[in-house]
Amino acid sequence: PSDAEIAHLTPTEVAHVERFWQSHGGAWHRDRLSPTSWERTRVRPANHPLVRLGMAAALLTSSFEGFTAAVVDTVRRGDDPVTLLITRSSHRDRPGMGEGRAVAIVASGILPFLLALAESTGDPELSERTSQRWEALEAGEPNQITKRSIKQVAGKVRVGRLGERGMQGLIQLDRRFCEPRRCMECSIAHLALSRQPALDAAALE
């Protein structure tokens, strides 16, 4: 009952889910998660595993044509897939996912998938529309990695609008160079060193 309340499921819906599991879930009846498999300690209610499963279920059942077709059509029209995720992950009185989460899913999952789909099907229009959406995608919520990367790259200098594409680039730089301490292989370090003589000369003047 407590899990059903977290997931915003009514008793009628719970009974329906249980009947459906018994009649259609036979192939997975032996595959049970341990009660300790989900991390629930100090997790915000909106990030509870059951809430996320509910959002995923809402997304997958939100359109007759299927979620993939809905995403493709959204990008072809030039509409925002972030708005699509937020809107279609809601269910009755339960709100959909937050904007930061939706941006992260679009950046790391949906847009790469659409570019691969366009490449495999020979669809230049879809590729162009997806690339345009990738360039226009606003940055999501910063995390420890992007904050650390910006500090490493720019120091105290204020960085202008990067967008989510720039944030993903910062994550790539951090994982490839900063985290393993491969500083001298980084193009930013090379640029800084190449400008150092000019900076030193300016300081002397």
Side-chain angles (χ1 to χ4, degrees):
S2 61
D3 286 342
E5 183 177 357
I6 291 172
H8 298 272
L9 294 174
T10 66
T12 301
E13 289 173 325
V14 171
H16 176 71
V17 168
E18 291 177 345
R19 287 196 303 270
F20 198 85
W21 171 251
Q22 292 300 326
S23 61
H24 292 77
W28 302 280
H29 280 177
R30 294 185 180 181
D31 299 328
R32 300 295 181 92
L33 287 174
S34 166
T36 59
S37 296
W38 283 348
E39 179 59 55
R40 305 184 187 207
T41 306
R42 300 176 64 184
V43 173
R44 293 186 300 169
N47 290 335
H48 192 283
L50 283 170
V51 174
R52 291 190 175 183
L53 282 173
M55 290 181 181
L59 282 173
L60 294 175
T61 59
S62 61
S63 58
F64 176 79
E65 72 273 24
F67 179 65
T68 300
V71 169
V72 171
D73 290 342
T74 296
V75 173
R76 282 193 191 281
R77 292 193 306 268
D79 294 336
D80 187 5
V82 172
T83 302
L84 177 76
L85 291 185
I86 295 173
T87 302
R88 297 202 176 188
S89 60
S90 62
H91 178 64
R92 289 203 310 266
D93 60 338
R94 186 193 66 210
M97 67 179 67
E99 184 177 359
R101 178 73 59 186
V103 169
I105 293 174
V106 168
S108 61
I110 289 179
L111 294 184
F113 167 75
L114 292 181
L115 287 172
L117 179 64
E119 176 70 20
S120 65
T121 58
D123 191 336
E125 180 190 2
L126 179 60
S127 178
E128 179 65 20
R129 291 287 188 177
T130 305
S131 298
Q132 292 172 354
R133 180 52 55 187
W134 181 222
E135 293 177 5
L137 186 63
E138 294 288 342
E141 299 174 358
N143 54 41
Q144 291 181 345
I145 296 177
T146 56
K147 290 178 180 178
R148 181 174 66 232
S149 298
I150 290 178
K151 184 177 180 180
Q152 182 72 14
V153 169
K156 296 181 180 180
V157 177
R158 183 177 179 83
V159 178
R161 179 183 176 276
L162 288 175
E164 185 60 22
R165 185 171 64 168
M167 291 298 180
Q168 293 291 319
L170 288 173
I171 293 174
Q172 173 69 8
L173 284 173
D174 185 86
R175 290 179 175 172
R176 186 172 181 181
F177 299 112
C178 300
E179 187 176 353
R181 298 294 188 267
R182 297 167 57 187
C183 304
M184 300 311 298
E185 299 178 38
C186 178
S187 57
I188 295 176
H190 290 172
L191 178 63
L193 290 174
S194 68
R195 296 185 61 185
Q196 192 62 42
L199 294 174
D200 291 342
L204 290 175
E205 294 176 358

